[in-house]
Amino acid sequence: MTNLAMRRLTALAIPTPMPGGRVLNYLLRRVLEAIPVLLIILTFVFILVNVAGDPVASMLGEEATPDQVAATRHALGLDRPILVQYADYLWHVVQGDFGDSYRFGQPALVLVLQRLPVTLTLAISGIALAVAFAIPAGVIAAVRKGGALDNSLLGISVLAKAMPNFWLGIMLILVFSVGLRLLPVSGSGSIAHLVLPAVALATGVAAEIMMLVRSSVIEELGNDYVRTARGKGIAESRVLRVHALRNAFVPVTSIVLLQFAGLIGGAIIVETVFAWPGLGMLLIQAVTNKDLPVVQAGVFVVALMIIVVNLCGDVIFRLSDRRIQL
């Protein structure tokens, strides 16, 4: 048995104590690093919504008099200097206040948080569907490396990655809703409504995860400790299940979380295609109506969630792989 194999087997047998202090320091450092990122996002959104046009014109319509427009702009604080508006905007964001929706007259953050569970339901369903397909398919492709089944799965993955979510969603509607009449075209309220949006959201992610699982398992199967286990006469199924998969899934776990973060952002487009009443639909309507507080609150919540999920995935990856220093 080589020294490398001995180290790998020893590492699997003896758990390493969790470096609690280093983990806390790493988390604190990453949280501090996220603050400027959020500030840049907030600034970018503020600039975008202010150059997109006058929201008062959209609110009052073409028949509004100049006095009505001026009074509304004053009431919303839009007649102040832009730097004053920016400073006021950041100050209120720090306090969790994005202002009231121009359209609904309710706090924008409350509206966004009310739609968030609907979007999370879709995103979680999408990632669950992707993992359920990608992990077994990736393992099978790795075990059958170079064979017809491996090549077929790789071809399907390349095709799945190339299909945009919105195009795939439209195709699914045409086939399963309009053509076969098996599933609803749009809306929510039942599992049947969730199937097509979840499939549209999961397809590209499943391809990414499958390819990662395949390459990771192939790499582990080629290591010395696996050859040593085989040399001891251990059954191939046990070598794969107990030794290779255990190490191969270390990077996969964090990548799944990172892909989940991407699904939260990608759900906005899919929700629009299927009229799914989540955060994405709310944001699209807010942009159309120039409902600036809702746009700002929605983008902030999505960005914050992506940062948090990315952080969780990064921490899990670093804690799982002892070769990486925190």
Side-chain angles (χ1 to χ4, degrees):
M1 184 180 294
T2 64
N3 292 333
L4 176 61
M6 285 292 295
R7 286 199 300 271
R8 299 298 296 268
L9 291 175
T10 302
L12 291 174
I14 304 174
T16 301
M18 180 177 292
R22 283 189 296 169
V23 173
L24 290 177
N25 289 336
Y26 176 74
L27 283 174
L28 180 60
R29 189 170 71 247
R30 289 298 305 271
V31 169
L32 293 176
E33 290 173 353
I35 293 176
V37 175
L38 281 175
L39 181 61
I40 292 172
I41 293 173
L42 288 170
T43 303
F44 186 66
V45 173
F46 178 82
I47 294 172
L48 279 184
V49 298
N50 278 280
V51 300
D54 188 358
V56 177
S58 300
M59 293 170 60
L60 300 182
E62 297 179 354
E63 297 179 354
T65 65
D67 290 340
Q68 289 175 319
V69 172
T72 304
R73 289 181 59 81
H74 180 72
L76 296 175
L78 299 177
D79 56 348
R80 297 174 297 169
I82 193 69
L83 289 180
V84 175
Q85 292 184 47
Y86 175 67
D88 186 60
Y89 159 68
L90 290 182
W91 172 244
H92 282 89
V93 167
V94 171
Q95 303 174 69
D97 180 13
F98 287 85
D100 291 341
S101 164
Y102 296 163
R103 184 184 182 193
F104 300 103
Q106 299 177 29
L109 187 59
V110 172
L111 287 172
V112 168
L113 294 180
Q114 285 175 345
R115 297 291 189 96
L116 189 58
V118 184
T119 294
L120 286 179
T121 300
L122 178 58
I124 292 172
S125 301
I127 197 69
L129 197 60
V131 169
F133 168 79
I135 289 183
V139 173
I140 292 171
V143 173
R144 304 292 179 86
K145 178 187 176 186
L149 186 55
D150 179 30
N151 291 330
S152 299
L153 288 170
L154 284 177
I156 293 172
S157 297
V158 172
L159 183 64
K161 283 184 65 177
M163 289 188 294
N165 285 338
F166 70 91
W167 181 86
L168 178 60
I170 294 172
M171 292 301 105
L172 290 173
I173 290 174
L174 289 176
V175 173
F176 294 99
S177 300
V178 178
L180 301 177
R181 298 181 183 277
L182 293 176
L183 294 165
V185 175
S186 61
S188 64
S190 69
I191 294 179
H193 288 90
L194 184 60
V195 174
L196 293 185
V199 171
L201 200 58
T203 301
V205 175
E208 293 273 359
I209 297 175
M210 197 219 83
M211 288 184 174
L212 176 67
V213 171
R214 177 184 177 275
S215 62
S216 187
V217 172
I218 288 174
E219 181 182 349
E220 292 300 328
L221 288 176
N223 283 330
D224 288 343
Y225 75 96
V226 171
R227 284 195 287 269
T228 301
R230 286 170 174 161
K232 289 181 175 180
I234 300 175
E236 185 65 23
S237 60
R238 181 173 174 77
V239 170
L240 177 67
R241 188 177 66 255
V242 176
H243 297 289
L245 292 187
R246 182 174 176 178
N247 290 325
F249 283 164
V250 169
V252 173
T253 304
S254 59
I255 292 299
V256 167
L257 280 175
L258 297 179
Q259 291 291 337
F260 178 67
L263 281 185
I264 295 173
I268 293 175
I269 298 174
V270 173
E271 286 180 6
T272 305
V273 173
F274 289 94
W276 184 261
L279 181 55
M281 280 289 291
L282 179 67
L283 277 176
I284 294 296
Q285 292 169 355
V287 170
T288 304
N289 297 313
K290 294 185 175 60
D291 197 347
L292 308 187
V294 175
V295 174
Q296 291 164 342
V299 173
F300 174 79
V301 169
V302 171
L304 184 62
M305 289 187 61
I306 291 175
I307 289 174
V308 170
V309 174
N310 277 330
L311 175 60
C312 292
D314 195 20
V315 170
I316 290 174
F317 178 69
R318 288 170 184 271
L319 288 177
S320 303
D321 194 332
R322 300 177 180 88
R323 295 167 295 184
I324 300 177
Q325 295 293 323
L326 287 174

